[in-house]
Amino acid sequence: MSDLEKTEFALPEGFGRPDDSPVGLTVLPEERDVEKSLRPKSINEFIGQPKVREQLNLVLAGARRRGVTPDHILLSGPPGLGKTTMAMIIAQELGTSLRMTSGPALERAGDLAAMLSNLMEGDVLFIDEIHRIARPAEEMLYMAMEDFRIDVIVGKGPGATSIPLEIPPFTLVGATTRAGMLTGPLRDRFGFTAQMEFYSVEDLTKVVTRAASILGVSIEPDAAVEIASRSRGTPRIANRLLRRVRDWADVNGNGHVDLAAARSALAVFDVDELGLDRLDRAVLDSLIRGHGGGPVGVNTLAIAVGEEPGTVEEVCEPYLVRAGLMARTGRGRVATASAWHHLGMTPPPDAPGQLDLF
Ligand SMILES: Nc1ncnc2c1ncn2[C@@H]1O[C@H](COP(=O)(O)OP(=O)(O)OP(=O)(O)O)[C@@H](O)[C@H]1O
Ligand SMILES: [Mg+2]
């Protein structure tokens, strides 16, 4: 089994949404191969994220000119926006190999030492979910990132000795859905942080069209736009919705996806016009019907919808905020006037509107 597969299984239980949700962000085992086939292989093939692409191109080209390994790179952003894909592309562009692991898999410093001591010069070490790395491994990582050296402790108790070990120069690529949870010293050791943003409908339309051509789905342009606009700004969801729409078209028609097929399929799977799924709507519902629009704490909301607070915070909220439906304030989460309208209700006069937020 490759390290990549280990990484993706290493996410803690309860991470993501219920598996029956088409918008859920948990990568299901049967989906792994499809995702692999859909991953862009080069920076030019990577759709959207113009800023990140430009910055990365510079970082990589600069290092190439100077003949050194690039600075360590942190990829930050909500699930499904292409962090793992980008890490693979970085190694590809550098012409080096990629070693993959994840924060939760590095429980002991020894786990990391084993990974580091196997690196070859110039390799890219990818640590997914780097904010979940255990403390002792994190401390070892500081030294490795800064001095390409680690101290390996041999033995236990008073007889324990520390043996210095040189590590060949490498580039660490860390990915995180929670940049705020990284400790200061770790964050400071990255030379460059790429902030991945939600995708525009236009870019997601390209993602859907590209995936359709790879998967051999015949699709009308307006159907691709429809799927894109309901994908919560997220390529993983766009690809997933495309496959559900294809299922619908295969079963109810001749497999050709037109606008009517896309709309009917998305209705069956409970994805509304804004791309919100049941969990998003449950959060808004609890915020508005249960708490008069807030402010209310994320823990209270999570309990009300039966989810982990981390899931509500990492998966639901970024998109609700970006869609202008929710605001995070010092006192808690607040529903905007648009959120009230979205649930078909009249907002109270003091509900914040779009303009108050930006
Ligand atoms: N820019 C893009 N263009 C085309 N497809 C993309 C792009 N970004 C991501 N994808 C598709 O979306 C899927 C998810 O991307 P990826 O696994 O890289 O996301 P991630 O940010 O690592 O997610 P997670 O936080 O859950 O690990 C990939 O299989 C890929 O096919
Ligand atoms: Mg990933």
Side-chain angles (χ1 to χ4, degrees), residues 8 39 80 83-85 126 128 175 236:
E8 297 197 321
R39 279 188 204 284
K83 298 181 295 297
T84 299
T85 307
F126 177 54
D128 208 355
R236 173 175 295 140

Side-chain angles (χ1 to χ4, degrees), residues 35 38-40 46-47 78-85 128 177 199 207 210 235-236 239:
E35 280 219 339
L38 294 178
R39 279 188 204 284
F46 194 91
I47 295 163
L81 297 195
K83 298 181 295 297
T84 299
T85 307
D128 208 355
T177 46
Y199 290 64
V207 170
R210 175 178 174 275
R236 173 175 295 140
N239 289 339

Side-chain angles (χ1 to χ4, degrees), residues 130-307:
I130 194 165
H131 59 273
R132 295 187 203 268
I133 193 169
R135 198 65 207 219
E138 175 170 337
E139 278 166 14
M140 176 179 278
L141 195 57
Y142 296 161
M143 218 176 176
M145 290 171 80
E146 212 156 65
D147 302 327
F148 300 116
R149 188 171 65 84
I150 54 174
D151 284 331
V152 182
I153 312 288
V154 184
K156 278 201 171 115
T161 43
S162 116
I163 303 176
L165 187 70
E166 296 258 328
I167 309 286
F170 68 99
T171 298
L172 177 69
V173 177
T176 182
T177 46
R178 303 284 294 274
M181 276 173 69
L182 248 61
T183 62
L186 183 54
R187 209 174 321 139
D188 291 345
R189 282 168 173 79
F190 286 98
F192 167 59
T193 297
Q195 180 64 51
M196 311 280 271
E197 306 287 349
F198 285 110
Y199 290 64
S200 65
V201 170
E202 201 183 345
D203 286 337
L204 282 180
T205 304
K206 292 183 196 156
V207 170
V208 171
T209 308
R210 175 178 174 275
S213 104
I214 294 172
L215 298 174
V217 180
S218 105
I219 186 168
E220 301 279 341
D222 55 357
V225 175
E226 185 72 12
I227 294 174
S229 60
R230 300 210 205 178
S231 299
R232 297 177 97 256
T234 307
R236 173 175 295 140
I237 296 177
N239 289 339
R240 186 173 292 174
L241 291 183
L242 171 68
R243 297 198 301 279
R244 296 295 76 78
V245 171
R246 172 180 65 177
D247 290 341
W248 191 95
D250 280 343
V251 172
N252 294 292
N254 57 2
H256 179 71
V257 176
D258 59 16
L259 185 59
R263 286 195 174 144
S264 307
L266 294 170
V268 171
F269 287 103
D270 267 345
V271 180
D272 71 17
E273 322 78 68
L274 293 180
L276 306 190
D277 76 347
R278 266 174 294 169
L279 183 57
D280 296 314
R281 286 195 299 268
V283 168
L284 283 186
D285 204 71
S286 160
L287 184 56
I288 288 176
R289 290 201 174 87
H291 299 92
V296 57
V298 65
N299 290 330
T300 310
L301 281 179
I303 292 167
V305 301
E307 263 296 343

Side-chain angles (χ1 to χ4, degrees), residues 118-137:
N118 275 318
L119 292 176
M120 309 283 273
E121 180 160 355
D123 275 358
V124 171
L125 173 64
F126 177 54
I127 305 185
D128 208 355
E129 296 298 306
I130 194 165
H131 59 273
R132 295 187 203 268
I133 193 169
R135 198 65 207 219

Side-chain angles (χ1 to χ4, degrees), residues 297-321:
V298 65
N299 290 330
T300 310
L301 281 179
I303 292 167
V305 301
E307 263 296 343
E308 297 287 320
T311 304
V312 172
E313 216 171 338
E314 276 171 53
V315 178
C316 266
E317 289 189 350
Y319 190 72
L320 292 176
V321 170

